[in-house]
Amino acid sequence: MQGEHTHIVDAEAISAIVAKVGLGQLYDLTIERMAAVLTGGPGATVEMKQRDGFLLTTPQLGLLEWMPAVRHGATVSIKMVGYNPHNPVKNQLPTILSTLCAFDADSGHLRAVVDGTFATAIRTGAASALASRVLARPDSAVLGLVGCGAQAVTQLHALSRVFPFSEVLVCDTDVRAENSFAARARLPEGIVRVAPLHEVEERADVLSTATSVAPHEGPVIRGRALKPGVHVNTIGSDMPGKTELPLDLLRRAVVVPDHLEQARAEGDCQQLAPEEIGPSLSEVLQDADAHRRLSPVTTVYDSTGLAVQDLVMVEVFEELARELDVGHRIAIEATADDPQDPYAFLPGSATQSWGARLGARS
């Protein structure tokens, strides 16, 4: 490990990767790698710790969290993620900012640092696509999006990799977000249409809620006139008290959390008793008959975000950056020829005065 450098996969490198690989192919790769991890496929010796962090109340409401996971024998990953819903207006920054780190599981060497902001948006969309692929009706043709921010764009693109939507209906309390969504989604006119909430609910086959609703101010949909057999992805519930779906909808649906304990603490499952919650996404994906049994009923995927999903993302981007030779390599760790000498990497002049000082005392 002597002389190992850390691979920095920054925004410029991410842009080069997407340009060469293709955005659609990146979603496909992410969905399949995520499926392999969640179904316990080859090499999926992974585990994670429940995320933890700080609830920030000043100067405004926000979160700063860390999310650790390990692929035994290979990679330890940790994501630092900030959630600050005031960012777009106040700071001209995304609501969610994050950084991914990959450490070598054998040595602890910091192998890679990867932009996590783009990766988080991609993996959140990919998780909804993976859940919807097994829970939604295969002939789903109309996508409904409640909330038109950055996450809604990646919901649309990821879900479009598994369903041939003929129409996309969107709504948001922010008229500017509604009107700019089609352009930000890079779609031609006619595919995306701004619609009132009641129409989005009535016509969607797959519905994703991606809002920054404040704690105790939900729900963001009424849920009374949904199509029979609709599938709902709720991705905006990510802190105590913050929920997007009405309780009566949750109680008449099969609710599939990404992680039971986390969803009960921070997701829409906060509203339910344990016996009212269905199987986890991993359990559903491992059951070959799950789609046949669940597709005739309303289903909900309670997406709170998993550290193993972030492990997948840091591995994917580290792998692609290495293959395509993009990014930068820098020496972050203080290592040198002698691993038992903590000063070996310093210039001699930096330590001479210390030795001379001790020698003067003898």
Side-chain angles (χ1 to χ4, degrees):
M1 283 293 173
Q2 178 185 332
E4 285 286 332
H5 285 63
T6 299
H7 200 161
I8 307 299
V9 187
D10 56 10
E12 182 181 2
I14 295 290
S15 177
I17 289 170
V18 176
K20 293 180 181 180
V21 173
L23 190 56
Q25 287 69 30
L26 179 61
Y27 277 111
D28 294 344
L29 177 61
T30 300
I31 291 167
E32 295 314 313
R33 291 282 182 92
M34 196 179 295
V37 164
L38 295 178
T39 56
T45 53
V46 301
E47 67 173 296
M48 67 178 189
K49 298 293 185 182
Q50 189 167 336
R51 66 187 179 204
D52 201 355
F54 300 107
L55 177 63
L56 308 173
T57 56
T58 55
Q60 291 180 268
L61 181 66
L63 284 173
L64 182 64
E65 298 181 314
W66 45 92
M67 302 174 66
V70 59
R71 186 186 297 274
H72 291 287
T75 303
V76 175
S77 70
I78 187 164
K79 181 170 84 169
M80 295 298 298
V81 55
Y83 169 79
N84 294 283
H86 56 274
N87 260 358
V89 173
K90 181 181 178 182
N91 300 318
Q92 293 299 296
L93 290 170
T95 297
I96 298 173
L97 291 169
S98 67
T99 303
L100 297 166
C101 294
F103 299 87
D104 181 76
D106 178 57
S107 67
H109 163 60
L110 176 59
R111 223 171 47 219
V113 177
V114 179
D115 163 59
T117 303
F118 179 75
T120 296
I122 294 290
R123 70 88 152 129
T124 305
S128 290
L130 184 58
S132 301
R133 189 168 68 180
V134 71
L135 295 172
R137 297 192 311 275
D139 61 348
S140 295
V142 179
L143 173 64
L145 296 171
V146 178
C148 294
Q151 295 292 321
V153 173
T154 56
Q155 287 288 303
L156 166 58
H157 288 170
L159 286 161
S160 295
R161 300 305 293 179
V162 295
F163 296 100
F165 295 117
S166 59
E167 192 173 7
V168 179
L169 304 177
V170 304
C171 67
D172 197 304
T173 56
D174 183 346
V175 175
R176 291 173 300 177
E178 284 184 331
N179 292 335
S180 66
F181 180 79
R184 286 183 285 113
R186 274 71 171 181
L187 291 177
E189 287 189 33
I191 296 176
V192 174
R193 181 165 65 85
V194 175
L197 179 61
H198 72 84
E199 184 182 356
V200 176
E201 294 192 45
E202 290 168 1
R203 298 196 53 228
D205 299 306
V206 177
L207 177 65
S208 287
T209 55
T211 73
S212 294
V213 64
H216 311 295
E217 291 191 5
V220 299
I221 67 172
R222 302 178 185 92
R224 300 191 189 100
L226 298 175
K227 272 187 175 181
V230 67
H231 171 68
V232 181
N233 300 299
T234 172
I235 70 167
S237 299
D238 51 15
M239 70 170 65
K242 186 180 177 192
T243 58
E244 292 186 311
L245 304 187
L247 178 57
D248 59 343
L249 167 60
L250 292 169
R251 283 183 167 160
R252 67 175 186 268
V254 175
V255 180
V256 176
D258 54 7
H259 186 273
L260 178 60
E261 289 77 12
Q262 193 167 278
R264 291 197 66 208
E266 301 182 6
D268 264 279
C269 285
Q270 293 176 78
Q271 305 180 68
L272 299 174
E275 62 272 14
E276 296 176 304
I277 302 172
S280 70
L281 179 58
S282 291
E283 292 170 323
V284 169
L285 291 172
Q286 293 174 46
D287 185 346
D289 294 326
H291 179 262
R292 179 180 58 79
R293 289 203 313 271
L294 297 181
S295 59
V297 302
T298 298
T299 54
V300 171
Y301 172 52
D302 192 358
S303 175
T304 58
L306 301 181
V308 292
Q309 296 168 351
D310 299 313
L311 172 67
V312 167
M313 296 311 298
V314 75
E315 288 180 336
V316 163
F317 280 117
E318 183 186 12
E319 174 186 313
L320 293 175
R322 183 173 59 249
E323 290 178 359
L324 299 173
D325 193 25
V326 297
H328 313 279
R329 295 186 179 274
I330 62 175
I332 292 179
E333 297 154 338
T335 60
D337 292 340
D338 186 351
Q340 293 184 314
D341 182 355
Y343 300 143
F345 75 102
L346 296 173
S349 59
T351 56
Q352 284 174 353
S353 60
W354 180 263
R357 184 179 181 186
L358 289 179
R361 292 179 179 178
S362 58

